[in-house]
Amino acid sequence: MPAHIDRTSVNSSSPFEGAWLLLTVLAFGLLIKLFYNTFFGPLSKIPGPFYTRITNLELKWATLQGRKMYYLDSLHQKYGPIVRISPDEASVVDLAATREIHKITGGFKKTPWYKAFTNYGTNNMFTMIDVKEHSNRRRLLGQPLSDSALKAVRPLVMQKTKLAISKLKEQLEEEGHMDVLRWFHYMAIDIISDLSFGESFALLEAGKDNQYIQDMAKNDAYSGYVSELAPVFKLMSYSPYQPAIMNEMKETPRRLLSHARAALKTYKDLRETAPQKIENKPMLFAKMFKAQADGGLEENQIIAEAASNILGGGETVAVTLAYLIWLVSKSPDTQSKIAQELASIPDEFTYDEVRSLHYLEMVVRESMRLYNSVVGASLRRTVPEGGRSLAGYFIKQGVTVATLQFSLQRNPDIYVDPEVFIPERWEKPTPEMKEALLPFGLGTRSCVGLHLANMELRMAAVGFFKAFPQVIPSTTNGMSDEAMEMVNYFLVAPKGHKCLITVPGKS
Ligand code: HEM
């Protein structure tokens, strides 16, 4: 037994001293990072808030609260058309720079951020970064979505539009208002599921979401969390005590996979047992099925594309259309001009007739300028080798640059009274006005569903205003301008998750 224990030598440092030491090291590390980023960082010369030299926490916070585009827009108003928003990311709303970043020959690739939207363990066209892999896939899916190929889809869009409008009429009779967001969401999903799987999910008939749609919405939200808080989720995955959400995050993709497999099996069974049912049916994936039969594609890859289309082609159309109807419902003058124009085409109209409607075209453009489902998305791209000059600054290679429709399409130097809905501004647009309107993006990564979306938006808008020439926003069930405020994750949606419209005298 030792004769004497020197207690001062045992555990001489208290936990507080340890914490101080850790804090000092952290503070020192941050100072070094700040010093380096201030003078040598890739974005040291780009204007932006001081703290963005070391952190993007405010951006993440704004993103998680669904107000990213408002935060970015406020930075652009203060710092100009190019702003540092993180130590290695700049937001760009300059017109020439936006077109440079997205043009076909620009060489700016999507960033790895898109990987968070990968499903079923495989890339889909939206998440692909590699140029060759993407162009091969786009070749398979792009042609069936071309304007000429979609002629075969017109009867389907017409039939679903009519069904949606009859459901809206029923709701108006029963409840005194109609939720255009809900019914047009079902319409868009029924169209894209029919085109993808050979059989629609029949949400319009059922009047409610199925499990697949609920899971898709959850999965979309989870992808958003993971993309913004990747390190936190990585840490949580090692913890023995995992919150319930972690389990749901694993289970949801599994359920989605089995739903999608079942839907594809239905299609394949139909091909064998009742080929007459699908023989003349336009199918987006005809080329992909052929590629699968030739051994060039796996089933998971087809399923991943189908899921991506349903996500990309459902809510996008519904939200854009709901905002269009809401804007028009607040403008009696626009309604009477639409009604006058619609009187020139029969009630059983064709898509060619719809396309000839000049005033409607201006309404669609103007509403998409202000509101569309992707207006708040930061479209992130990597600056290619050698760096590039953008908006008067040289940006080094490897840095992320992200463009933002929201600020570009509301730029007062391009659009007079940019916050006001004025369809007539498109009567004689300036070249800048046309170039800055980019609801479907630009270049090789622009929206592959553009023609389908355009058809759905216009057919449904004409069907709606023929059925309801005079409408107003409802003031019941929590509907208000505030409920229509845009909440912005990757996509944009009304804060109240609904868009209730009525006719004068009904509510
Ligand atoms: C109003 C409706 C729509 C809007 C505003 C819209 C907008 C966009 C935008 C801006 C992009 C580029 C995204 C980026 O660069 O990150 C995009 C890509 C895409 N969209 Fe749409 N979209 C709409 C409807 C649709 C529909 C109906 C489909 C279904 C076929 C679809 C499928 C896709 C796909 C697969 C991509 C990725 C394309 C690629 O990377 O090659 N979208 N969309």
Side-chain angles (χ1 to χ4, degrees), residues 165-175:
I165 286 164
S166 75
K167 294 288 176 178
L168 286 166
K169 281 183 181 160
E170 271 173 33
Q171 193 187 12
L172 182 65
E173 280 312 308
E174 284 164 19
E175 298 173 34

Side-chain angles (χ1 to χ4, degrees), residues 66-281:
R67 41 173 205 86
K68 179 178 177 177
M69 66 189 186
Y70 302 116
Y71 165 71
L72 292 180
D73 191 59
S74 70
L75 293 186
H76 282 295
Q77 298 209 13
K78 186 164 177 194
Y79 295 98
I82 181 157
V83 179
R84 183 186 57 249
I85 54 173
S86 148
D88 55 3
E89 181 170 344
S91 178
V92 178
V93 298
D94 175 78
L95 174 56
T98 299
R99 296 191 72 88
E100 175 69 25
I101 290 167
H102 293 290
K103 74 179 184 192
I104 290 178
T105 51
F108 289 75
K109 290 185 194 167
K110 276 191 172 178
T111 65
W113 178 85
Y114 283 89
K115 291 285 173 202
F117 295 88
T118 302
N119 276 322
Y120 314 121
T122 178
N123 268 326
N124 59 63
M125 192 161 59
F126 179 68
T127 64
M128 285 172 179
I129 297 174
D130 184 72
V131 173
K132 199 150 180 240
E133 186 189 20
H134 172 260
S135 70
N136 285 342
R137 187 64 56 84
R138 183 122 182 174
R139 217 168 296 135
L140 291 178
L141 258 177
Q143 192 279 333
L145 281 165
S146 66
D147 194 32
S148 56
L150 285 174
K151 276 191 180 144
V153 175
R154 290 178 186 182
L156 173 73
V157 174
M158 179 56 92
Q159 182 217 335
K160 298 294 177 196
T161 301
K162 282 184 175 168
L163 187 51
I165 286 164
S166 75
K167 294 288 176 178
L168 286 166
K169 281 183 181 160
E170 271 173 33
Q171 193 187 12
L172 182 65
E173 280 312 308
E174 284 164 19
E175 298 173 34
H177 57 239
M178 33 195 175
D179 188 348
V180 289
L181 180 61
R182 175 176 156 211
W183 292 105
F184 284 129
H185 191 195
Y186 293 160
M187 176 198 82
I189 298 270
D190 280 354
I191 291 172
I192 194 74
S193 56
D194 196 307
L195 292 174
S196 303
F197 297 119
E199 214 168 49
S200 113
F201 285 166
L203 300 183
L204 280 170
E205 283 87 347
K208 59 180 184 358
D209 292 1
N210 65 9
Q211 183 71 45
Y212 188 77
I213 299 305
Q214 288 169 15
D215 283 343
M216 289 284 282
K218 276 192 203 167
N219 207 40
D220 183 32
Y222 297 155
S223 306
Y225 301 155
V226 172
S227 64
E228 297 305 332
L229 295 172
V232 177
F233 282 101
K234 187 107 194 137
L235 265 180
M236 281 199 320
S237 70
Y238 295 125
S239 151
Y241 306 105
Q242 300 198 356
I245 190 174
M246 293 293 281
N247 196 34
E248 252 317 270
M249 282 170 88
K250 283 184 205 141
E251 283 309 313
T252 310
R254 276 190 206 136
R255 275 200 306 268
L256 277 173
L257 184 62
S258 57
H259 282 306
R261 275 216 177 104
L264 269 191
K265 187 170 176 314
T266 309
Y267 170 73
K268 284 184 178 165
D269 289 350
L270 274 177
R271 259 201 321 198
E272 277 163 29
T273 55
Q276 71 286 354
K277 270 194 167 179
I278 47 170
E279 228 160 47
N280 295 319
K281 231 178 164 171

Side-chain angles (χ1 to χ4, degrees), residues 114 125 134 138 312-313 316 320 374 379 381 439-440 445 447-448:
Y114 283 89
M125 192 161 59
H134 172 260
R138 183 122 182 174
T316 51
T320 307
V374 192
L379 305 187
R381 301 292 186 265
F440 295 105
R445 305 309 295 261
C447 180
V448 74

Side-chain angles (χ1 to χ4, degrees), residues 231-452:
V232 177
F233 282 101
K234 187 107 194 137
L235 265 180
M236 281 199 320
S237 70
Y238 295 125
S239 151
Y241 306 105
Q242 300 198 356
I245 190 174
M246 293 293 281
N247 196 34
E248 252 317 270
M249 282 170 88
K250 283 184 205 141
E251 283 309 313
T252 310
R254 276 190 206 136
R255 275 200 306 268
L256 277 173
L257 184 62
S258 57
H259 282 306
R261 275 216 177 104
L264 269 191
K265 187 170 176 314
T266 309
Y267 170 73
K268 284 184 178 165
D269 289 350
L270 274 177
R271 259 201 321 198
E272 277 163 29
T273 55
Q276 71 286 354
K277 270 194 167 179
I278 47 170
E279 228 160 47
N280 295 319
K281 231 178 164 171
M283 279 289 298
L284 295 189
F285 292 159
K287 282 191 170 191
M288 290 189 59
F289 286 129
K290 185 165 180 323
Q292 187 192 13
D294 297 344
L297 273 184
E298 288 166 16
E299 187 176 78
N300 272 14
Q301 293 174 304
I302 299 186
I303 292 175
E305 288 302 349
S308 153
N309 271 358
I310 287 169
L311 199 63
E315 204 179 334
T316 51
V317 172
V319 166
T320 307
L321 188 53
Y323 274 114
L324 183 153
I325 292 172
W326 174 66
L327 284 170
V328 174
S329 75
K330 297 189 335 156
S331 167
D333 177 53
T334 309
Q335 287 176 48
S336 70
K337 286 180 181 162
I338 292 180
Q340 216 176 341
E341 187 172 58
L342 292 193
S344 69
I345 63 168
D347 287 345
E348 292 296 318
F349 53 85
T350 65
Y351 187 42
D352 285 330
E353 282 161 337
V354 167
R355 279 176 146 177
S356 70
L357 301 171
H358 179 61
Y359 188 70
L360 182 89
E361 193 52 41
M362 298 198 291
V363 170
V364 174
R365 276 195 200 183
E366 179 65 351
S367 68
M368 288 189 94
R369 179 183 72 79
L370 288 166
Y371 297 90
N372 72 66
S373 44
V374 192
V375 80
S378 275
L379 305 187
R380 292 166 153 119
R381 301 292 186 265
T382 307
V383 176
E385 219 180 309
R388 291 289 186 277
S389 287
L390 297 170
Y393 292 91
F394 182 76
I395 317 274
K396 291 182 186 161
Q397 67 183 54
V399 166
T400 297
V401 281
T403 58
L404 182 68
Q405 272 182 46
F406 180 74
S407 301
L408 183 61
Q409 292 173 182
R410 289 171 185 239
N411 181 340
D413 296 335
I414 301 177
Y415 302 101
V416 179
D417 290 336
E419 301 294 330
V420 189
F421 174 66
I422 312 174
E424 290 73 15
R425 73 169 82 238
W426 292 101
E427 238 148 36
K428 282 196 183 130
T430 62
E432 287 76 24
M433 283 169 66
K434 287 199 264 182
E435 283 174 13
L437 186 70
L438 297 168
F440 295 105
L442 187 72
T444 47
R445 305 309 295 261
S446 63
C447 180
V448 74
L450 151 109
H451 299 295
L452 179 61

